[in-house]
Amino acid sequence: MWVYEKKLEYPVKIKKADPKLAKIIITQYGGPDGELGAAIRYLSQRFTMVTPQAKAILNDIGTEVPVLHMETKNFCSCHSICSMENPGIDIGPIVLWERKKCPVVGNKLRPASMRLPYKRLFAHCPPIVAALLTSS
Amino acid sequence: MDRENTLKQLTMLDFMATDLALYLDSHPHDKIAIEEYNKIVGEADIIRQKYEHLYGPLCSYRSHCNGDWKWIDDPWTWEEEFNFTASKEAFK
């Protein structure tokens, strides 16, 4: 099982609010190469491992990498979006803060739509999209 | 500022311990790494106790509770005054 400690493994510093990048970071939770899939893969593969080393590594990486990455990504994306004075774009899959005050900065946000259109992702960050397309 | 420094020290030690633990998974007989691991875990224990004594629990079911249930108190990890200021210091 897992234990929550009220601290981060590594401090997160948001140098600059970048909601466009935040939207791309959010897409890395799900999908075939996302953190959620990675967590489940590591933790399922450990059951079939034979050596003690391999069992331990998959258990520990399945714990550390995806779960902590998710917390950090979640933290980064929320902060980036919430730090905006006036979001000029829809805020993608984040609906948590919809019509609520953000606990971090206190800004009110616009209602969010659920999906990030691929066209806009293309426009913002071609290398990432290219990488996604070649990997699928 | 004291809270931030203590937290920073603890974060550094725990990060080193996590990293060494992953290394030891595949090198379980490396005596030098084990020695280093034990040293770091020992130091982290002392700082963890100090932090919890002064600033409240780090865990909801392993930390001692004196007086009120301080687990629910701010700041949480995602709030500005928690890691944010600590990290600004850490990156200077």
Side-chain angles (χ1 to χ4, degrees):
Chain A
M1 70 168 294
W2 286 270
V3 177
Y4 188 82
E5 250 197 327
K6 213 170 174 180
K7 67 185 197 44
L8 296 179
E9 189 191 30
Y10 195 84
V12 177
K13 189 188 184 189
I14 309 290
K15 283 185 179 167
K16 184 170 151 282
D18 187 345
K20 288 174 185 170
L21 182 62
K23 287 176 75 169
I24 291 165
I25 292 169
I26 291 164
T27 65
Q28 295 307 299
Y29 281 124
D33 300 316
E35 298 290 348
L36 283 162
I40 291 161
R41 267 195 306 280
Y42 289 131
L43 296 175
S44 310
Q45 283 164 353
R46 71 187 161 155
F47 302 139
T48 65
M49 289 297 121
V50 181
T51 68
Q53 286 92 333
K55 285 180 199 169
I57 287 171
L58 283 171
N59 182 72
D60 296 354
I61 291 180
T63 302
E64 191 208 349
V65 177
V67 179
L68 296 176
H69 286 193
M70 279 193 274
E71 181 168 47
T72 315
K73 277 182 184 173
N74 176 263
F75 190 49
C76 289
S77 49
C78 285
H79 273 281
S80 298
I81 291 174
C82 296
S83 310
M84 286 199 70
E85 283 291 317
N86 173 23
I89 51 171
D90 69 82
I91 55 173
I94 288 271
V95 288
L96 280 171
W97 310 124
E98 185 177 348
R99 294 198 185 92
K100 282 183 186 167
K101 271 199 152 187
C102 168
V104 182
V105 181
N107 288 345
K108 279 195 175 175
L109 295 171
R110 293 178 180 182
S113 67
M114 287 300 286
R115 275 269 154 215
L116 170 68
Y118 276 93
K119 261 198 264 175
R120 301 182 70 179
L121 188 58
F122 249 129
H124 296 322
C125 197
I128 288 183
V129 181
L132 287 174
L133 289 175
T134 42
S135 69
S136 61
Chain B
M1 193 53 77
D2 262 357
R3 189 186 72 86
E4 283 172 13
N5 281 331
T6 315
L7 182 67
K8 189 175 139 191
Q9 277 180 326
L10 183 59
T11 305
M12 283 162 69
L13 289 166
D14 278 352
F15 190 83
M16 286 194 275
T18 310
D19 224 21
L20 274 169
L22 288 173
Y23 169 80
L24 285 167
D25 281 351
S26 57
H27 301 76
H29 309 298
D30 188 329
K31 286 206 174 63
I32 297 168
I34 290 170
E35 201 179 297
E36 185 70 4
Y37 171 85
N38 282 330
K39 202 179 107 195
I40 289 165
V41 169
E43 284 176 35
D45 271 349
I46 295 165
I47 295 178
R48 181 173 275 101
Q49 276 178 22
K50 182 185 158 196
Y51 184 94
E52 291 194 320
H53 174 70
L54 291 170
Y55 310 113
L58 284 162
C59 182
S60 60
Y61 62 95
R62 287 191 176 169
S63 308
H64 285 281
C65 178
N66 304 313
D68 286 342
W69 185 241
K70 281 168 114 183
W71 174 253
I72 61 165
D73 290 358
D74 286 342
W76 285 87
T77 49
W78 57 88
E79 287 169 335
E80 200 168 353
E81 63 268 40
F82 196 86
N83 266 280
F84 243 47
T85 29
S87 60
K88 272 174 199 160
E89 287 295 310
F91 278 89
K92 260 179 191 170

